[in-house]
Amino acid sequence: MITINTGPHYRLTANAYEQLLTHCRSVFPMEACGLLITSSCDTPSVIDIIHPIANVHPQPHSAFAFDPSDWISAMYQIEQRQQLLIGYYHSHPRSLPIPSSADSTGMLTQIGAITLIVSLCTDEPDFRAYSRCADGWSEVELLLEPSLHKEKAD
């Protein structure tokens, strides 16, 4: 079940957005995965760092699993740099950015962490952010920096 969260929203910087898309496209048609980080604890809702983690799942075209050594290294770096882990991301190369049953069973659960899913199954990438809740997933508002919005012609 997916509900809409009316709580706090998150912001993805233009640079982080480009890094995210670059990583997802570079491993296509396999699923990409990694961490969503803020460089400053003073801005805990701003995602400005994307940290890719190798996908070591035996079926990487349809699922993901963090490489344990990459995970440990990334968490150490976050602590050393006094950054803050906001959440996790992964891609859906062939489906919409909606949590799958595999996402529900295999996703790390951390109170307050968000999960960003990037879909590459359409011409333009699509993405949505979620948080885990007692009865499934709750969609979380994720805003892009204004420079990323394209003007629509009338």
Side-chain angles (χ1 to χ4, degrees):
M1 168 186 245
I2 297 175
T3 57
I4 303 297
N5 183 353
T6 57
H9 65 269
Y10 295 86
R11 187 170 60 101
L12 185 63
T13 66
N15 187 46
Y17 178 76
E18 290 304 319
Q19 291 175 21
L20 178 68
L21 289 184
T22 298
H23 179 226
C24 291
R25 288 175 173 150
S26 73
V27 300
F28 184 87
M30 296 182 293
E31 290 197 11
C33 56
L35 308 179
L36 305 169
I37 302 167
T38 184
S39 59
S40 172
C41 292
D42 294 334
T43 55
S45 63
V46 177
I47 301 163
D48 59 353
I49 299 172
I50 301 298
H51 189 105
I53 301 283
N55 181 356
V56 295
H57 196 281
Q59 298 168 334
H61 290 83
S62 58
F64 74 96
F66 286 168
D67 176 276
S69 62
D70 281 3
W71 167 254
I72 292 168
S73 175
M75 295 306 292
Y76 178 76
Q77 287 176 20
I78 290 169
E79 186 172 320
Q80 289 299 109
R81 295 174 182 162
Q82 298 181 345
Q83 298 168 336
L84 181 65
L85 176 67
I86 293 179
Y88 314 95
Y89 72 88
H90 71 281
S91 62
H92 282 185
R94 291 176 209 53
S95 62
L96 296 175
I98 299 169
S100 66
S101 59
D103 293 338
S104 295
T105 58
M107 183 58 65
L108 298 168
T109 56
Q110 179 180 340
I111 295 173
I114 65 169
T115 297
L116 176 62
I117 303 175
V118 179
S119 172
L120 299 174
C121 73
T122 58
D123 290 340
E124 289 294 319
D126 189 12
F127 59 90
R128 294 183 196 152
Y130 301 91
S131 63
R132 291 293 298 263
C133 55
D135 59 347
W137 296 92
S138 176
E139 192 166 349
V140 176
E141 186 176 14
L142 178 66
L143 306 173
L144 296 178
E145 285 192 336
S147 62
L148 297 175
H149 297 289
K150 295 179 182 176
E151 296 292 324
K152 292 185 179 182
D154 289 329

